[in-house]
Protein backbone atom coordinates (compact mmCIF):
# COMPACT_ATOMS: atom_id res chain seq x y z
CA UNK A 1 0.00 0.00 0.00
CA UNK A 2 1.33 3.41 -0.89
CA UNK A 3 0.00 6.73 0.31
CA UNK A 4 -0.01 9.94 -1.65
CA UNK A 5 2.59 12.51 -0.62
CA UNK A 6 0.04 15.29 -0.94
CA UNK A 7 -2.81 15.91 1.49
CA UNK A 8 -5.92 15.90 -0.75
CA UNK A 9 -7.84 17.92 1.86
CA UNK A 10 -5.64 20.96 1.23
CA UNK A 11 -5.92 23.33 -1.70
CA UNK A 12 -3.12 24.13 -4.14
CA UNK A 13 0.61 23.74 -3.49
CA UNK A 14 -0.12 23.67 0.25
CA UNK A 15 -1.22 20.07 -0.09
CA UNK A 16 2.56 19.46 0.02
CA UNK A 17 3.12 21.86 2.96
CA UNK A 18 5.32 19.38 4.85
CA UNK A 19 7.79 19.55 1.93
CA UNK A 20 7.63 23.33 1.46
CA UNK A 21 8.88 26.41 3.38
CA UNK A 22 6.92 26.65 6.63
CA UNK A 23 4.19 29.28 6.46
CA UNK A 24 1.44 29.66 9.10
CA UNK A 25 -1.87 28.34 7.82
CA UNK A 26 -3.56 31.78 7.90
CA UNK A 27 -0.80 33.24 5.68
CA UNK A 28 -0.92 30.47 3.07
CA UNK A 29 -2.19 32.31 -0.01
CA UNK A 30 -3.73 30.01 -2.62
CA UNK A 31 -5.94 30.11 -5.70
CA UNK A 32 -5.94 26.33 -6.07
CA UNK A 33 -2.72 26.28 -8.15
CA UNK A 34 -0.95 23.05 -9.00
CA UNK A 35 -2.61 19.60 -9.04
CA UNK A 36 -2.49 20.00 -12.82
CA UNK A 37 -3.40 17.05 -15.06
CA UNK A 38 -0.81 14.52 -16.22
CA UNK A 39 -2.33 13.32 -19.48
CA UNK A 40 -1.12 10.39 -21.55
CA UNK A 41 -0.41 11.30 -25.15
CA UNK A 42 -2.83 10.08 -27.79
CA UNK A 43 -2.00 10.96 -31.42
CA UNK A 44 1.51 12.32 -31.01
CA UNK A 45 2.87 9.30 -29.10
CA UNK A 46 1.56 7.07 -31.89
CA UNK A 47 3.15 9.23 -34.60
CA UNK A 48 6.49 9.26 -32.75
CA UNK A 49 6.31 5.52 -31.96
CA UNK A 50 6.37 6.10 -28.19
CA UNK A 51 4.37 3.99 -25.75
CA UNK A 52 4.61 6.06 -22.53
CA UNK A 53 4.53 9.75 -23.33
CA UNK A 54 2.79 12.10 -20.89
CA UNK A 55 2.03 15.81 -20.85
CA UNK A 56 2.03 17.79 -17.60
CA UNK A 57 -0.52 20.47 -18.47
CA UNK A 58 0.46 23.58 -16.51
CA UNK A 59 -2.11 25.77 -18.27
CA UNK A 60 -4.46 24.30 -15.66
CA UNK A 61 -3.06 26.81 -13.18
CA UNK A 62 -5.18 29.84 -12.17
CA UNK A 63 -3.28 32.43 -14.26
CA UNK A 64 -2.33 29.91 -16.97
CA UNK A 65 1.27 28.94 -16.19
CA UNK A 66 3.40 27.05 -13.66
CA UNK A 67 4.53 30.43 -12.25
CA UNK A 68 1.46 30.29 -9.98
CA UNK A 69 3.26 27.65 -7.90
CA UNK A 70 6.08 30.14 -7.27
CA UNK A 71 3.71 33.05 -6.63
CA UNK A 72 1.70 31.04 -4.09
CA UNK A 73 4.78 30.18 -2.03
CA UNK A 74 6.54 33.53 -2.57
CA UNK A 75 3.64 35.83 -1.67
CA UNK A 76 2.80 33.66 1.35
CA UNK A 77 6.44 33.82 2.45
CA UNK A 78 6.40 37.62 2.02
CA UNK A 79 3.39 37.81 4.38
CA UNK A 80 5.06 35.42 6.80
CA UNK A 81 8.04 37.81 7.01
CA UNK A 82 5.85 40.91 7.38
CA UNK A 83 6.90 42.38 4.01
CA UNK A 84 4.61 45.09 2.64
CA UNK A 85 5.08 44.72 -1.14
CA UNK A 86 6.56 42.58 -3.91
CA UNK A 87 8.93 43.76 -6.65
CA UNK A 88 10.19 41.92 -9.72
CA UNK A 89 10.55 41.45 -13.43
CA UNK A 90 8.87 39.17 -15.91
CA UNK A 91 8.59 38.16 -19.51
CA UNK A 92 4.89 38.02 -18.71
CA UNK A 93 3.80 34.88 -16.91
CA UNK A 94 5.56 35.50 -13.60
CA UNK A 95 4.06 38.96 -13.57
CA UNK A 96 0.55 37.66 -14.15
CA UNK A 97 1.03 35.10 -11.39
CA UNK A 98 2.53 37.42 -8.77
CA UNK A 99 0.02 40.16 -9.66
CA UNK A 100 -2.85 37.77 -8.99
CA UNK A 101 -1.45 36.42 -5.71
CA UNK A 102 -0.38 39.89 -4.47
CA UNK A 103 -3.91 41.15 -5.26
CA UNK A 104 -5.34 38.26 -3.27
CA UNK A 105 -2.96 38.95 -0.37
CA UNK A 106 -3.77 42.68 -0.50
CA UNK A 107 -0.21 43.95 -1.07
CA UNK A 108 1.23 46.09 -3.94
CA UNK A 109 3.42 44.64 -6.71
CA UNK A 110 6.03 46.76 -8.52
CA UNK A 111 7.00 45.25 -11.85
CA UNK A 112 9.51 45.89 -14.68
CA UNK A 113 8.75 44.24 -18.03
CA UNK A 114 10.33 43.68 -21.44
CA UNK A 115 9.98 46.47 -23.98
CA UNK A 116 8.32 44.00 -26.37
CA UNK A 117 6.24 42.02 -23.88
CA UNK A 118 3.45 39.94 -25.43
CA UNK A 119 0.39 42.14 -25.05
CA UNK A 120 -1.91 39.41 -23.67
CA UNK A 121 0.51 38.87 -20.78
CA UNK A 122 0.64 42.58 -19.94
CA UNK A 123 -3.15 42.71 -19.94
CA UNK A 124 -3.35 40.15 -17.13
CA UNK A 125 -0.83 42.07 -15.01
CA UNK A 126 -2.63 45.37 -15.45
CA UNK A 127 -6.02 43.81 -14.73
CA UNK A 128 -4.74 42.60 -11.35
CA UNK A 129 -3.67 46.15 -10.49
CA UNK A 130 0.13 45.83 -10.53
CA UNK A 131 2.35 48.92 -10.87
CA UNK A 132 4.11 48.23 -14.23
CA UNK A 133 7.01 49.87 -16.12
CA UNK A 134 8.36 48.78 -19.56
CA UNK A 135 12.18 48.92 -19.93
CA UNK A 136 13.84 49.75 -23.28
CA UNK A 137 16.00 46.94 -24.71
CA UNK A 138 15.08 44.57 -21.88
CA UNK A 139 14.76 41.04 -23.35
CA UNK A 140 17.28 41.62 -26.16
CA UNK A 141 20.34 43.06 -24.42
CA UNK A 142 22.13 41.08 -21.73
CA UNK A 143 23.59 44.34 -20.34
CA UNK A 144 20.14 45.89 -19.88
CA UNK A 145 18.99 42.68 -18.18
CA UNK A 146 21.86 42.88 -15.70
CA UNK A 147 20.96 46.51 -14.86
CA UNK A 148 17.29 45.71 -14.27
CA UNK A 149 18.16 42.78 -11.97
CA UNK A 150 20.56 45.01 -10.01
CA UNK A 151 17.95 47.76 -9.63
CA UNK A 152 15.36 45.31 -8.30
CA UNK A 153 17.81 43.80 -5.81
CA UNK A 154 18.74 47.25 -4.53
CA UNK A 155 15.10 48.41 -4.18
CA UNK A 156 14.05 45.19 -2.44
CA UNK A 157 16.86 45.61 0.07
CA UNK A 158 16.22 49.31 0.73
CA UNK A 159 12.40 49.10 1.01
CA UNK A 160 12.26 45.64 2.63
CA UNK A 161 10.09 44.39 -0.23
CA UNK A 162 9.97 40.77 -1.40
CA UNK A 163 11.99 40.30 -4.61
CA UNK A 164 9.87 38.09 -6.83
CA UNK A 165 12.25 37.34 -9.68
CA UNK A 166 11.43 33.74 -10.45
CA UNK A 167 14.90 32.21 -10.17
CA UNK A 168 16.69 30.32 -7.41
CA UNK A 169 19.50 32.84 -7.56
CA UNK A 170 17.05 35.62 -6.64
CA UNK A 171 14.37 34.01 -4.46
CA UNK A 172 15.16 30.41 -3.50
CA UNK A 173 12.26 30.25 -1.04
CA UNK A 174 9.54 31.16 -3.56
CA UNK A 175 11.10 28.79 -6.10
CA UNK A 176 10.46 25.85 -3.76
CA UNK A 177 6.91 25.99 -5.15
CA UNK A 178 8.22 24.51 -8.42
CA UNK A 179 9.19 21.31 -6.61
CA UNK A 180 5.49 20.45 -6.36
CA UNK A 181 5.62 19.52 -10.07
CA UNK A 182 7.98 16.65 -9.18
CA UNK A 183 5.84 15.68 -6.17
CA UNK A 184 2.71 15.55 -8.32
CA UNK A 185 4.45 13.49 -11.02
CA UNK A 186 5.54 11.02 -8.34
CA UNK A 187 1.99 10.84 -6.95
CA UNK A 188 0.35 10.57 -10.39
CA UNK A 189 2.75 7.89 -11.62
CA UNK A 190 2.10 5.97 -8.36
CA UNK A 191 5.45 6.31 -6.65
CA UNK A 192 7.55 5.99 -9.76
CA UNK A 193 9.88 8.44 -11.45
CA UNK A 194 9.66 9.03 -15.21
CA UNK A 195 12.76 8.06 -17.21
CA UNK A 196 13.08 11.53 -18.69
CA UNK A 197 11.49 14.93 -18.09
CA UNK A 198 11.68 17.48 -20.93
CA UNK A 199 11.66 21.01 -19.54
CA UNK A 200 11.50 24.40 -21.31
CA UNK A 201 14.42 26.53 -20.14
CA UNK A 202 14.63 30.31 -20.03
CA UNK A 203 16.29 31.42 -16.79
CA UNK A 204 16.60 27.79 -15.64
CA UNK A 205 14.36 28.00 -12.56
CA UNK A 206 11.69 25.59 -13.77
CA UNK A 207 14.34 22.98 -14.59
CA UNK A 208 16.12 23.52 -11.27
CA UNK A 209 12.93 23.35 -9.21
CA UNK A 210 11.75 20.09 -10.77
CA UNK A 211 15.20 18.60 -10.30
CA UNK A 212 15.32 19.68 -6.64
CA UNK A 213 11.87 18.14 -6.11
CA UNK A 214 13.17 14.80 -7.34
CA UNK A 215 16.25 15.18 -5.11
CA UNK A 216 13.89 15.52 -2.12
CA UNK A 217 11.96 12.44 -3.25
CA UNK A 218 15.20 10.48 -3.61
CA UNK A 219 16.36 11.49 -0.14
CA UNK A 220 13.03 10.99 1.66
CA UNK A 221 11.45 8.15 -0.31
CA UNK A 222 14.29 6.46 -2.16
CA UNK A 223 12.91 7.58 -5.52
CA UNK A 224 15.16 7.20 -8.57
CA UNK A 225 16.24 10.28 -10.51
CA UNK A 226 14.90 11.03 -14.01
CA UNK A 227 17.09 12.27 -16.85
CA UNK A 228 16.50 16.01 -16.92
CA UNK A 229 16.41 17.46 -20.44
CA UNK A 230 16.82 21.22 -20.80
CA UNK A 231 15.19 22.54 -23.97
CA UNK A 232 16.06 26.03 -25.18
CA UNK A 233 15.22 28.09 -28.23
CA UNK A 234 18.10 28.04 -30.73
CA UNK A 235 17.87 31.84 -30.71
CA UNK A 236 18.63 31.94 -26.99
CA UNK A 237 20.61 28.76 -26.29
CA UNK A 238 23.23 30.16 -23.92
CA UNK A 239 22.93 27.18 -21.55
CA UNK A 240 23.03 24.60 -24.36
CA UNK A 241 26.17 26.23 -25.77
CA UNK A 242 27.73 26.35 -22.30
CA UNK A 243 27.05 22.61 -21.93
CA UNK A 244 28.52 21.79 -25.37
CA UNK A 245 31.65 23.72 -24.39
CA UNK A 246 31.87 21.76 -21.12
CA UNK A 247 31.54 25.02 -19.21
CA UNK A 248 30.15 25.52 -15.69
CA UNK A 249 28.49 28.77 -16.78
CA UNK A 250 26.17 29.78 -19.62
CA UNK A 251 27.76 31.11 -22.81
CA UNK A 252 27.37 34.80 -23.67
CA UNK A 253 25.46 36.50 -26.49
CA UNK A 254 22.14 38.29 -26.95
CA UNK A 255 18.79 36.64 -27.74
CA UNK A 256 17.21 36.46 -31.19
CA UNK A 257 14.55 34.00 -30.06
CA UNK A 258 10.92 34.79 -30.82
CA UNK A 259 9.59 32.56 -28.06
CA UNK A 260 8.10 34.69 -25.30
CA UNK A 261 9.17 33.39 -21.89
CA UNK A 262 12.46 31.96 -23.12
CA UNK A 263 14.26 35.18 -24.09
CA UNK A 264 16.72 35.11 -21.19
CA UNK A 265 20.29 35.57 -22.52
CA UNK A 266 21.65 35.93 -18.95
CA UNK A 267 19.95 32.93 -17.28
CA UNK A 268 20.13 33.45 -13.50
CA UNK A 269 19.98 29.69 -12.78
CA UNK A 270 22.25 28.71 -15.67
CA UNK A 271 24.92 27.36 -13.34
CA UNK A 272 22.39 25.17 -11.51
CA UNK A 273 21.21 23.69 -14.81
CA UNK A 274 24.76 23.15 -16.05
CA UNK A 275 25.74 21.40 -12.82
CA UNK A 276 23.08 18.74 -13.54
CA UNK A 277 23.93 18.49 -17.25
CA UNK A 278 27.69 18.32 -16.66
CA UNK A 279 27.14 15.50 -14.14
CA UNK A 280 25.55 13.53 -17.01
CA UNK A 281 22.20 13.52 -15.24
CA UNK A 282 20.52 14.86 -18.33
CA UNK A 283 21.26 16.68 -21.53
CA UNK A 284 20.23 19.78 -23.50
CA UNK A 285 18.51 20.48 -26.82
CA UNK A 286 18.41 23.76 -28.78
CA UNK A 287 15.36 23.88 -31.04
CA UNK A 288 14.60 26.22 -33.95
CA UNK A 289 11.55 28.41 -33.34
CA UNK A 290 9.69 27.06 -36.38
CA UNK A 291 10.03 23.51 -34.93
CA UNK A 292 8.47 24.76 -31.70
CA UNK A 293 5.60 26.38 -33.61
CA UNK A 294 5.07 23.15 -35.55
CA UNK A 295 4.73 21.10 -32.36
CA UNK A 296 2.48 23.73 -30.79
CA UNK A 297 0.07 23.17 -33.70
CA UNK A 298 0.44 19.39 -33.47
CA UNK A 299 -0.52 19.53 -29.77
CA UNK A 300 -3.63 21.53 -30.63
CA UNK A 301 -4.66 19.31 -33.55
CA UNK A 302 -3.64 15.83 -32.36
CA UNK A 303 -4.02 16.08 -28.58
CA UNK A 304 -6.59 18.80 -27.95
CA UNK A 305 -4.01 20.77 -25.95
CA UNK A 306 -3.57 24.45 -26.71
CA UNK A 307 -0.36 25.67 -25.08
CA UNK A 308 1.97 28.58 -25.72
CA UNK A 309 5.19 28.14 -27.76
CA UNK A 310 7.38 28.30 -24.60
CA UNK A 311 5.53 25.17 -23.45
CA UNK A 312 5.49 23.30 -26.77
CA UNK A 313 9.28 23.57 -26.98
CA UNK A 314 9.54 20.64 -24.54
CA UNK A 315 7.86 18.41 -27.11
CA UNK A 316 9.95 19.89 -29.94
CA UNK A 317 13.00 18.96 -27.86
CA UNK A 318 11.71 15.40 -27.47
CA UNK A 319 11.18 15.06 -31.24
CA UNK A 320 14.77 16.21 -31.78
CA UNK A 321 16.11 13.84 -29.09
CA UNK A 322 14.31 10.94 -30.80
CA UNK A 323 15.98 11.81 -34.12
CA UNK A 324 19.32 11.84 -32.27
CA UNK A 325 18.58 8.40 -30.79
CA UNK A 326 18.74 9.67 -27.21
CA UNK A 327 15.45 8.15 -25.94
CA UNK A 328 14.00 4.64 -26.05
CA UNK A 329 10.54 4.00 -27.50
CA UNK A 330 9.27 2.41 -24.27
CA UNK A 331 10.69 5.02 -21.91
CA UNK A 332 8.29 6.88 -19.63
CA UNK A 333 8.62 10.47 -20.77
CA UNK A 334 7.04 13.64 -19.43
CA UNK A 335 6.93 16.87 -21.42
CA UNK A 336 6.20 19.84 -19.18
CA UNK A 337 3.73 22.10 -20.99
CA UNK A 338 4.45 25.17 -18.92
CA UNK A 339 1.83 27.69 -20.07
CA UNK A 340 -1.51 28.23 -21.82
CA UNK A 341 -2.17 28.95 -25.50
CA UNK A 342 -4.03 32.20 -24.85
CA UNK A 343 -0.84 33.71 -23.35
CA UNK A 344 0.44 34.48 -26.87
CA UNK A 345 -2.53 35.82 -28.81
CA UNK A 346 -0.35 37.01 -31.70
CA UNK A 347 0.94 33.50 -32.29
CA UNK A 348 -2.62 32.12 -32.12
CA UNK A 349 -3.63 34.62 -34.82
CA UNK A 350 -0.75 33.38 -37.00
CA UNK A 351 -2.01 29.81 -36.61
CA UNK A 352 -5.54 30.88 -37.56
CA UNK A 353 -4.26 32.94 -40.53
CA UNK A 354 -2.57 29.80 -41.88
CA UNK A 355 -5.88 27.93 -42.05
CA UNK A 356 -8.85 28.33 -44.42
CA UNK A 357 -10.94 31.39 -43.56
CA UNK A 358 -14.08 30.73 -41.49
CA UNK A 359 -16.97 31.01 -43.99
CA UNK A 360 -20.06 33.11 -43.33
CA UNK A 361 -23.36 31.79 -44.64
CA UNK A 362 -27.02 32.56 -44.17
CA UNK A 363 -29.08 29.92 -42.35
CA UNK A 364 -30.80 29.05 -45.65
CA UNK A 365 -27.45 28.22 -47.27
CA UNK A 366 -26.64 25.53 -44.67
CA UNK A 367 -27.00 22.07 -46.10
C1 LIG B 1 8.88 31.22 -17.20
C2 LIG B 1 8.46 30.25 -18.21
C3 LIG B 1 9.37 29.33 -18.76
C4 LIG B 1 10.84 29.33 -18.43
O1 LIG B 1 11.10 29.08 -17.08
P1 LIG B 1 12.55 29.43 -16.49
O2 LIG B 1 12.41 29.16 -15.04
O3 LIG B 1 12.78 30.89 -16.76
O4 LIG B 1 13.54 28.58 -17.16
C5 LIG B 1 8.89 28.38 -19.65
N1 LIG B 1 7.59 28.35 -20.02
C6 LIG B 1 6.69 29.22 -19.52
C7 LIG B 1 5.29 29.13 -19.99
C8 LIG B 1 7.09 30.19 -18.60
O5 LIG B 1 6.19 31.04 -18.12
Amino acid sequence: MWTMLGNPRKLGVWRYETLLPQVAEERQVTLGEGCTPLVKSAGIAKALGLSNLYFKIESGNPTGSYKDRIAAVGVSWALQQGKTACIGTTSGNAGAAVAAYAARAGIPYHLYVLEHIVEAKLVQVVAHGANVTKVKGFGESAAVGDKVFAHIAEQAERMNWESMITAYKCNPVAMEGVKTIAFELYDDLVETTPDAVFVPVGGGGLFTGIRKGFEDLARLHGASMPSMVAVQSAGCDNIVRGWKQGSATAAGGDSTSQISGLQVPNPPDGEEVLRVLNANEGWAEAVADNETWHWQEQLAEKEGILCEPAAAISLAGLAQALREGRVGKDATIVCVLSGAGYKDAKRLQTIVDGKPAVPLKSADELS
Side-chain angles (χ1 to χ4, degrees):
M1 240 307 270
W2 73 283
T3 40
M4 271 178 63
L5 294 171
N7 173 1
R9 285 175 215 267
K10 290 216 68 161
L11 201 58
V13 291
W14 301 109
R15 100 177 5 197
Y16 295 100
E17 65 182 333
T18 56
L19 298 164
L20 290 175
Q22 294 306 293
V23 172
E25 179 127 24
E26 65 274 18
R27 296 191 196 99
Q28 293 177 353
V29 183
T30 185
L31 287 162
E33 64 290 330
C35 311
T36 55
L38 182 69
V39 171
K40 195 160 187 186
S41 171
I44 289 176
K46 207 184 230 172
L48 293 176
L50 295 171
S51 41
N52 291 298
L53 172 60
Y54 293 87
F55 301 114
K56 180 70 169 158
I57 307 181
E58 288 295 290
S59 53
N61 281 296
T63 76
S65 85
Y66 83 92
K67 299 289 199 311
D68 288 339
R69 299 173 186 269
I70 306 171
V73 174
V75 171
S76 303
W77 184 247
L79 295 183
Q80 177 75 16
Q81 294 170 290
K83 300 212 167 168
T84 55
C86 292
I87 182 170
T89 172
T90 180
S91 58
N93 290 346
V98 178
Y101 285 79
R104 187 164 178 83
I107 59 176
Y109 176 36
H110 308 279
L111 175 66
Y112 300 93
V113 299
L114 309 189
E115 182 173 0
H116 302 292
I117 184 170
V118 168
E119 209 52 38
K121 295 184 178 181
L122 192 55
V123 164
Q124 273 184 296
V125 168
V126 172
H128 287 302
N131 171 21
V132 199
T133 307
K134 286 188 189 175
V135 183
K136 285 183 187 158
F138 189 22
E140 288 107 50
S141 155
V144 170
D146 287 341
K147 272 192 200 163
V148 172
F149 284 114
H151 172 75
I152 290 169
E154 190 263 325
Q155 282 277 101
E157 175 77 31
R158 196 159 54 83
M159 306 297 290
N160 192 32
W161 292 343
E162 185 73 358
S163 166
M164 283 296 295
I165 294 174
T166 53
Y168 271 89
K169 196 170 177 187
C170 310
N171 192 331
V173 176
M175 292 304 288
E176 294 287 277
V178 180
K179 286 179 170 180
T180 54
I181 295 177
F183 303 155
E184 290 171 19
L185 290 177
Y186 195 66
D187 270 342
D188 287 345
L189 294 171
V190 193
E191 273 190 322
T192 58
T193 299
D195 295 304
V197 183
F198 284 74
V199 185
V201 170
L206 175 58
F207 179 101
T208 302
I210 294 173
R211 163 75 191 196
K212 283 186 188 289
F214 279 111
E215 282 170 3
D216 285 357
L217 293 171
R219 195 176 62 248
L220 300 169
H221 299 276
S224 57
M225 297 299 286
S227 286
M228 295 289 301
V229 187
V231 188
Q232 289 201 291
S233 162
C236 190
D237 60 346
N238 305 48
I239 292 176
V240 180
R241 281 185 287 118
W243 172 64
K244 287 185 174 160
Q245 293 159 11
S247 167
T249 55
D254 292 348
S255 168
T256 58
S257 171
Q258 294 184 61
I259 311 293
S260 164
L262 304 182
Q263 296 147 324
V264 192
N266 44 358
D269 291 329
E271 289 174 30
E272 289 283 332
V273 176
L274 283 160
R275 201 175 41 75
V276 174
L277 301 181
N278 289 333
N280 273 328
E281 288 164 351
W283 71 91
E285 303 281 352
V287 181
D289 291 352
N290 57 6
E291 282 287 305
T292 297
W293 294 326
H294 167 75
W295 288 107
Q296 181 194 19
E297 292 187 40
Q298 291 293 300
L299 278 162
E301 290 174 11
K302 303 226 159 64
E303 302 279 353
I305 300 170
L306 194 53
C307 64
E308 68 181 293
I313 199 171
S314 60
L315 176 60
L318 169 61
Q320 185 165 298
L322 276 167
R323 290 196 296 273
E324 295 167 349
R326 287 182 178 275
V327 278
K329 301 279 182 187
D330 293 323
T332 299
I333 295 161
V334 174
C335 287
V336 178
L337 301 182
S338 42
Y342 67 80
K343 292 286 197 165
D344 193 340
K346 208 166 127 201
R347 171 63 196 148
L348 284 188
Q349 191 58 51
T350 306
I351 294 176
V352 170
D353 290 346
K355 295 190 186 287
V358 177
L360 176 65
K361 294 181 178 177
S362 70
D364 294 336
E365 290 174 288
L366 304 181
S367 55

